[in-house]
Amino acid sequence: MCPPSHFEVTYSINPWMEPDKPTDAPLATVQWERLRALLVTLGHRVDVVSPRPGLPDMVFAANAATVVDGRVLAARYRYPQRSGEEPAYQAWFAEHGYPVLRPRYVNEGEGDMLPTGTRILAGTGFRTDERAHAEAAEYFGLPVVTLRLVDPYFYHLDTALAVLGHDEIMYYPGAFSPESQAVLRELYPTAIQAGAADAAVFGLNAISDGRHVLLPQAATHLTERLRAAGFEPIDVDLSELLKAGGSAKCCALELRDQESS
Ligand code: ARG
């Protein structure tokens, strides 16, 4: 995770971002700190990357890479406004002894690449280049399922789909092309499907450890469905970060180290 010390909305690279609307970095930091403390309380280790000035989206650590079995596929951002984050996160991985591959194609890390226990679900359409999916499949030696995003408000896969457990997901069908909706129905016939209202408050941008699911309480139906399915939903309010088009999941890049999995 990376604290939102320099958080603001100074440019617009997704429809949620309105640079004219004021932001409050101290409030963002309070909300972020609550999320960090909650993860620690639940027994997870949280490493913190130093924020750098001039990189207001650096708080969205999930976009920095995809990590599977200790191997790191770094990000290559679509927009120049975020490319300064690449060396910052790569340096952290290098300092901590992780092997890092810099990708050839645009790849926004766990924003668009969501590993399940058996495969990687990969988004494309707005940010990550479809060719990056094959690159990830080759690097990790895992099957990668390409999913096409069609609604600009759900520009990253992790805004429309969350991995809940080994082979369980929840998603908002409206964010995907008809073909990708069919793929999801086929692969996950029993998945929890979210409606437009829960998706619009970033209910799908959730962090799950297989039991606890951290999501905004405003996603009321989703919260009920998760509880009915045996999960423990926990409310996290990241209203400030929503102004940049991000919420809980965007803030945490999963390292999947043996000890924390
Ligand atoms: N402003 C950021 C962007 O548009 C938000 C990133 C949110 N992160 C995420 N994992 N969806 O790139």
Side-chain angles (χ1 to χ4, degrees):
M1 296 181 73
C2 174
S5 322
H6 307 290
F7 176 70
E8 51 183 337
V9 177
T10 54
Y11 50 80
S12 180
I13 56 173
N14 70 56
W16 304 94
M17 301 177 86
E18 297 176 49
D20 294 340
K21 239 177 154 172
T23 48
D24 183 339
L27 176 58
T29 304
V30 169
Q31 295 176 336
W32 177 90
E33 179 50 36
R34 230 180 266 145
L35 174 64
R36 194 197 63 81
L38 185 57
L39 287 166
V40 171
T41 305
L42 294 173
H44 304 289
R45 193 190 84 220
V46 178
D47 296 300
V48 173
V49 178
S50 302
R52 297 197 182 172
L55 297 173
D57 273 336
M58 199 176 161
V59 57
F60 301 116
N63 304 149
T66 308
V67 188
V68 180
D69 290 336
R71 291 153 63 80
V72 177
L73 181 56
R76 181 183 286 273
Y77 285 97
R78 163 88 42 203
Y79 296 110
Q81 290 94 329
R82 294 199 68 184
S83 48
E85 298 176 41
E86 293 168 16
Y89 279 97
Q90 280 167 28
W92 187 91
F93 281 115
E95 279 159 27
H96 290 77
Y98 288 84
V100 179
L101 178 71
R102 300 197 54 219
R104 228 174 117 190
Y105 300 107
V106 169
N107 182 329
E108 299 207 350
E110 277 197 343
D112 276 321
M113 304 246 162
L114 294 174
T116 73
T118 54
R119 56 173 73 97
I120 296 177
L121 300 176
T124 191
F126 296 99
R127 300 292 180 88
T128 297
D129 190 311
E130 197 173 339
R131 290 169 294 183
H133 297 182
E135 202 176 6
E138 200 196 326
Y139 182 59
F140 292 123
L142 282 171
V144 173
V145 176
T146 292
L147 298 169
R148 198 163 299 282
L149 296 161
V150 295
D151 180 338
Y153 280 91
F154 303 98
Y155 56 93
H156 270 151
L157 181 64
D158 75 353
T159 64
L161 184 151
V163 176
L164 295 171
H166 182 75
D167 212 16
E168 273 172 294
I169 65 163
M170 59 178 179
Y171 67 101
Y172 168 50
F176 297 92
S177 70
E179 295 75 19
S180 295
Q181 289 182 31
V183 168
L184 287 167
R185 274 197 307 269
E186 165 89 24
L187 290 175
Y188 302 100
T190 61
I192 297 176
Q193 296 196 5
D198 284 348
V201 292
F202 270 59
L204 278 321
N205 196 247
I207 302 178
S208 172
D209 61 11
R211 175 157 168 236
H212 312 97
V213 183
L214 283 51
L215 79 169
Q217 206 169 40
T220 45
H221 288 100
L222 210 46
T223 300
E224 275 166 37
R225 277 180 217 173
L226 284 164
R227 201 169 281 126
F231 292 96
E232 199 183 309
I234 303 179
D235 176 40
V236 285
D237 176 13
L238 292 155
S239 59
E240 272 309 299
L241 299 184
L242 224 50
K243 295 175 183 169
S247 190
K249 173 58 198 140
C250 304
C251 292
L253 171 60
E254 293 177 49
L255 297 174
R256 299 188 177 79
D257 289 342
Q258 235 44 314
E259 59 201 292
S260 59
S261 64

